[in-house]
C-alpha cells in the first residue's frame, strides 16, 4: 500500500515540522487513509530502531585536546553590566557615586525584593536588567527541566552525568545571581 | 517529554562568549556521541572520523565568539561536520550521487517487511549498523542527521543546499534501501541454515 501524501507530509509530520494548516490537513487525511496509517506506523518503527543504534565516542585524548583548545580560545570574562556601571560611576568620582547610590537606595530597596522583583526594578538600567533577566531565565528553565526529569523518573533521557553537570551550572548561576544582590545591598 | 535542548544550547553558547569555558564542555558533552557516530557512519573509518571530528570542533571553537544564533547550534555544528565529511569523501573519489536516483518513489517496492519482522534479535543492531553503512552517502547523511543529530528536514535541506522534497525523497529511498539490504541479508542467512 502506498500513498503519495505520505511522501510529501509523512516524515515532516513525524518530526513535527508541518505548520498549522498542513498539519491539520494531514491529520484529517490519515484518519481515513489506511496506506498512510501503515506507512506512518512503519516510519515510527524505523525511527525507533535507528535511534537505538549504539552511539560511539572518539578516543579520550581527542576530548582533552578539544576542551584544552576551547579553554585557550575562550573570550576573556566579561565584566557584568552592573560592574561596568560601577566603573562608570567611579570615573565620575565620589559625587557621581554617591548620587548613584542614593538613587538606587530610593528606587530599589534591594534588601526587600525577590530576584524577579529586582529584575523588574532594574529595568531602568538596561545592561543590568538584561544580565539579570538572562540569569533568571536560565535558572527557571534549568530548574523546570531538572524537576520534571526527576518527577517523571525520566532517567533514560538525561544521563546521570548530565544531571550532575546541569546541577552544577544551576548552582553557579545561583551564586552569580546572589552576588548581584549582595552588590546591590552593599550600596 | 523532551527538554528544550535548543534553549540550553543558546545559554551555553552565550556563557562561553562571555568567558565561561565550562559552558563549552557542556556543549561538547551533549554533542560528542551523536556527532562522532554521524561521522563514523558517514566515513566508515575510525581514524578518519576522529580527524574530521576534531577539525569540526576546531572550526566551531574559532567561530564561536562571533556566532550569533542565526541557526540552531546543533544544526550549525552538524552543517560544519557534514561539509567536512563530504570533502573527505570527495578526496577518496567515492560517488556522492544517489545510486537509486533513476527510480521514482513509486517504483521502489521493498516488500511488506517492517523493522519488527526483519530485526528481531539483539545482534540485529550490528546488522542494521552495517546496512546503514551500505547506503549511498546522500541517503545515509539524511537519515543519520535526522535520527542521530535531531536535525530537522528543513535544516538538512539548508545544510545540503537542496530542496526539502529532495531531502524527503532521500529519506524515503534510505528506508527502502535499508529494507532491501536487510531482507537480502536475512534470505542469505536462511539459505546457509538450510
Amino acid at each position: 500500500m502506498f500513498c503519495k501524501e505520505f511522501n510529501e507530509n509523512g516524515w515532516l509530520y513525524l518530526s513535527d515540522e508541518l505548520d498549522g494548516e498542513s498539519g491539520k490537513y494531514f491529520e484529517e487525511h490519515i484518519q481515513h487513509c489506511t496506506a498512510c496509517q501503515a506507512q506512518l506506523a512503519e516510519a515510527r518503527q524505523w525511527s525507533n530502531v535507528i535511534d537505538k543504534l549504539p552511539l560511539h565516542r572518539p578516543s579520550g585524548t581527542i576530548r582533552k585536546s578539544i576542551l584544552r583548545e576551547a579553554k585557550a580560545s575562550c573570550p576573556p570574562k566579561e565584566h557584568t553590566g552592573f560592574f561596568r556601571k560601577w566603573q562608570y560611576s567611579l570615573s565620575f568620582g565620589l559625587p557621581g557615586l554617591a548620587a548613584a547610590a542614593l538613587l538606587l537606595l530610593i528606587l530599589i530597596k534591594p534588601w526587600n525584593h525577590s530576584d524577579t522583583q529586582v529584575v523588574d526594578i532594574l529595568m531602568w538600567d538596561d545592561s543590568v536588567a538584561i544580565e539579570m533577566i538572562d540569569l533568571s531565565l536560565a535558572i527557571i528553565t534549568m530548574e523546570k527541566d531538572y524537576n520534571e526529569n526527576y518527577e517523571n523518573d525520566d532517567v533514560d533521557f538525561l544521563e546521570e552525568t548530565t544531571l550532575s553537570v546541569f546541577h552544577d551550572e544551576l548552582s553557579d548561576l545561583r551564586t552569580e545571581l546572589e552576588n548581584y544582590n549582595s552588590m546591590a545591598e552593599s550600596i | 517529554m523532551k527538554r528544550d535542548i535548543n534553549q540550553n544550547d543558546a545559554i551555553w553558547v552565550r556563557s562561553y562568549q562571555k568567558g565561561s569555558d565550562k559552558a563549552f564542555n557542556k556543549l561538547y558533552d551533549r554533542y560528542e556521541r551523536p556527532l562522532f557516530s554521524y561521522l563514523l557512519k558517514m566515513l566508515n573509518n575510525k581514524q578518519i572520523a576522529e580527524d574530521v571530528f576534531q577539525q569540526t570542533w576546531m572550526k566551531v571553537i574559532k567561530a564561536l565568539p562571533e556566532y550569533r544564533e542565526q541557526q540552531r547550534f546543533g544544526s550549525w555544528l552538524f552543517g560544519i561536520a557534514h561539509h567536512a565529511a563530504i570533502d573527505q569523501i570527495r578526496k577518496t573519489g567515492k560517488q556522492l550521487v544517489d545510486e537509486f536516483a533513476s527510480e521514482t518513489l513509486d517504483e521502489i517496492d521493498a516488500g511488506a517487511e517492517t523493522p519488527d519482522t526483519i530485526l528481531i534479535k539483539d545482534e540485529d543492531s550490528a546488522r542494521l549498523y552495517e546496512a546503514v553503512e551500505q547506503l549511498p552517502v546522500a541517503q545515509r547523511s539524511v537519515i543519520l542527521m535526522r535520527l542521530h543529530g535531531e536535525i530537522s528536514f528543513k535544516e538538512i535541506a539548508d545544510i545540503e543546499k537542496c530542496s526539502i522534497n529532495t531531502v524527503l525523497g532521500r529519506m524515503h529511498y534510505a528506508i527502502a534501501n535499508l529494507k532491501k539490504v536487510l531482507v537480502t541479508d536475512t534470505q542469505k542467512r536462511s539459505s546457509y541454515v538450510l
Side-chain angles (χ1 to χ4, degrees):
Chain A
M1 282 198 293
F2 198 84
C3 176
K4 270 194 163 172
E5 200 64 51
F6 184 83
N7 290 340
E8 288 167 21
N9 292 318
W11 281 104
L12 291 175
Y13 176 76
L14 273 183
S15 62
D16 224 7
E17 289 181 64
L18 280 183
D19 56 27
E21 277 302 302
S22 315
K24 224 171 165 181
Y25 169 77
F26 188 68
E27 265 174 6
E28 280 167 17
H29 171 80
I30 51 176
Q31 295 295 317
H32 54 78
C33 176
T34 48
C36 271
Q37 286 168 16
Q39 283 178 277
L40 206 58
E42 192 189 333
R44 275 205 183 98
Q45 282 184 13
W46 280 105
S47 297
N48 291 338
V49 166
I50 293 168
D51 210 27
K52 282 178 190 155
L53 276 176
L55 293 176
H56 300 265
R57 276 183 203 281
S59 321
T61 50
I62 289 181
R63 182 182 196 278
K64 276 183 194 161
S65 98
I66 291 171
L67 296 187
R68 200 183 312 121
E69 181 63 29
K71 192 171 184 175
S73 307
C74 188
K77 216 162 192 127
E78 256 183 33
H79 286 309
T80 63
F82 192 90
F83 191 71
R84 277 199 300 274
K85 286 284 165 187
W86 257 98
Q87 288 177 316
Y88 187 69
S89 297
L90 283 170
S91 70
F92 283 96
L94 278 177
L97 182 62
L102 187 63
L103 189 62
L104 273 170
L105 276 170
I106 295 166
L107 288 175
I108 303 173
K109 296 176 188 158
W111 52 87
N112 285 333
H113 298 285
S114 68
D115 298 343
T116 320
Q117 284 169 316
V118 172
V119 171
D120 288 342
I121 292 162
L122 288 177
M123 281 305 286
W124 62 274
D125 181 334
D126 60 341
S127 59
V128 178
I130 288 166
E131 197 81 28
M132 297 282 278
I133 289 166
D134 269 359
L135 284 172
S136 300
L137 280 178
I139 285 177
I140 290 163
T141 311
M142 287 176 178
E143 256 183 347
K144 189 168 161 277
D145 291 338
Y146 190 76
N147 291 334
E148 277 177 2
N149 278 299
Y150 267 127
E151 278 169 20
N152 299 337
D153 202 19
D154 195 5
V155 285
D156 285 343
F157 183 72
L158 280 180
E159 291 174 5
E160 207 56 43
T161 46
T162 316
L163 277 173
S164 118
V165 168
F166 207 57
H167 205 56
D168 286 350
E169 184 66 22
L170 182 61
S171 152
D172 287 353
L173 285 171
R174 273 241 173 79
T175 312
E176 210 173 322
L177 196 58
E178 276 159 16
N179 288 342
Y180 274 113
N181 287 335
S182 308
M183 284 165 85
E185 280 174 28
S186 70
I187 302 170
Chain B
M1 196 250 354
K2 238 176 185 192
R3 285 188 310 135
D4 190 350
I5 286 174
N6 303 331
Q7 196 173 357
N8 290 336
D9 282 354
I11 290 168
W12 306 140
V13 168
R14 281 204 302 272
S15 303
Y16 181 75
Q17 289 172 333
K18 287 181 179 179
S20 163
D21 58 283
K22 264 169 53 186
F24 182 87
N25 298 10
K26 289 171 182 87
L27 284 170
Y28 178 86
D29 287 341
R30 174 162 298 154
Y31 287 102
E32 183 191 51
R33 291 193 302 163
L35 187 72
F36 183 68
S37 301
Y38 170 76
L39 289 171
L40 189 61
K41 285 169 204 163
M42 282 292 282
L43 299 163
N44 295 340
N45 178 307
K46 193 179 179 203
Q47 182 60 51
I48 297 175
E50 285 188 341
D51 288 347
V52 175
F53 178 81
Q54 202 157 1
Q55 286 165 23
T56 300
W57 280 106
M58 291 305 163
K59 280 185 190 166
V60 166
I61 290 166
K62 203 172 167 196
L64 207 49
E66 303 304 321
Y67 171 76
R68 287 292 171 265
E69 290 172 36
Q70 283 155 342
Q71 62 188 122
R72 260 183 350 105
F73 176 80
S75 160
W76 180 59
L77 173 70
F78 268 80
I80 294 172
H82 172 75
H83 293 300
I86 294 296
D87 285 347
Q88 185 60 43
I89 292 167
R90 280 205 178 99
K91 278 184 205 164
T92 62
K94 277 191 189 163
Q95 286 277 345
L96 291 174
V97 290
D98 291 350
E99 288 165 22
F100 297 82
S102 57
E103 292 173 284
T104 66
L105 291 180
D106 298 305
E107 282 166 345
I108 286 194
D109 177 18
E113 287 83 358
T114 66
D116 280 355
T117 58
I118 313 170
L119 301 163
I120 47 172
K121 296 178 200 145
D122 283 349
E123 70 258 30
D124 285 338
S125 72
R127 284 176 61 211
L128 179 59
Y129 202 122
E130 282 166 19
V132 169
E133 285 173 354
Q134 287 178 46
L135 290 174
V137 171
Q139 294 166 26
R140 209 184 321 158
S141 129
V142 169
I143 201 169
L144 293 175
M145 269 201 266
R146 175 67 208 114
L147 299 175
H148 276 347
E150 295 187 13
I151 311 298
S152 74
F153 289 110
K154 283 170 190 155
E155 288 170 331
I156 296 172
D158 286 343
I159 290 171
E160 301 203 349
K161 295 186 174 54
C162 61
S163 74
I164 191 151
N165 286 336
T166 303
V167 172
L168 293 172
R170 285 174 183 165
M171 185 72 184
H172 185 84
Y173 283 128
I175 295 294
N177 287 326
L178 274 182
K179 277 165 91 170
K180 274 184 184 172
V181 171
L182 290 166
V183 169
T184 312
D185 183 50
T186 307
Q187 285 165 351
K188 272 185 198 163
R189 281 161 185 252
S190 311
S191 66
Y192 290 146
V193 173
L194 293 171

